[in-house]
Each structure stands twice: as C-alpha cells, then as structure tokens.
Amino acid sequence: MKGSGALLLVALTLLCICGLATGEDDNEFFMDFLQTLLVGTPEELYEGPLGKHNINEDAKAALTELKSCIDNLQPMHKAELIKLLVQVLSSQDDA
C-alpha cells in the first residue's frame, strides 16, 4: 500500500501542475479529477477532467492501475483521503 500511496501523490501532483500549465482553476480541476478518480471510471476520467488533454497509452495504463488501487481501498480510507485533501486545498485558499 505504501507504493500505491506514493503513486497517488505523484499522479495528483502532476495533474495539479497540468492544471497550472493550462490556466485552469487549480482547485476545481483537482477536485473534479479526484472525485472522478474516487467514484468514477477510467473512461470518465478521460472524458471529464482529462478530456482536454492528450493522454498517451502509458499514462492511461498508469491511471487504470491507480484507479484499481483506489477501488481496493476501504470506504473509510477513501473518505479520510477526501477530508485531508479538502483541508489542504482550503488552507491554500487562506494563504
């Protein structure tokens, strides 16, 4: 699980950077991506938050693996992850 957590953090960091590079509202993109990652399907990721981006096959494979890891988390762990990320994003807004 330690490797899966690291993979999640790397993926989310990269997606935040992508949001910055495209001029999107970072928090909105991040939260949309996270929500879709937690409760959606890989296809919904590509059609929704990542729809504007050209996602190569290796990245799609990585996202599918990441989604699989998240799907195997206990619901309480998913809920705590969401709470933590909302708290972090809220503290960034206050800064």
Side-chain angles (χ1 to χ4, degrees):
M1 187 64 197
K2 192 180 279 188
S4 298
L7 179 62
L8 177 61
L9 289 175
V10 169
L12 295 176
T13 301
L14 290 173
L15 288 164
C16 286
I17 292 169
C18 288
L20 283 170
T22 60
E24 293 182 50
D25 178 26
D26 300 333
N27 289 346
E28 183 178 331
F29 173 82
F30 184 75
M31 293 306 288
D32 188 29
F33 173 79
L34 179 60
Q35 179 179 357
T36 306
L37 190 64
L38 290 171
V39 298
T41 65
E43 293 76 25
E44 289 172 328
L45 279 172
Y46 310 134
E47 294 169 5
L50 299 175
K52 299 177 190 175
H53 305 282
N54 183 17
I55 308 298
N56 68 40
E57 291 306 312
D58 288 337
K60 284 183 179 182
L63 285 168
T64 299
E65 180 71 22
L66 178 61
K67 177 68 177 134
S68 175
C69 292
I70 289 171
D71 287 345
N72 289 322
L73 289 174
Q74 293 181 10
M76 66 178 272
H77 292 148
K78 286 183 187 180
E80 289 301 319
L81 179 60
I82 291 171
K83 282 187 210 176
L84 175 62
L85 292 171
V86 167
Q87 180 182 7
V88 169
L89 289 172
S90 296
S91 69
Q92 289 177 349
D93 288 342
D94 295 340

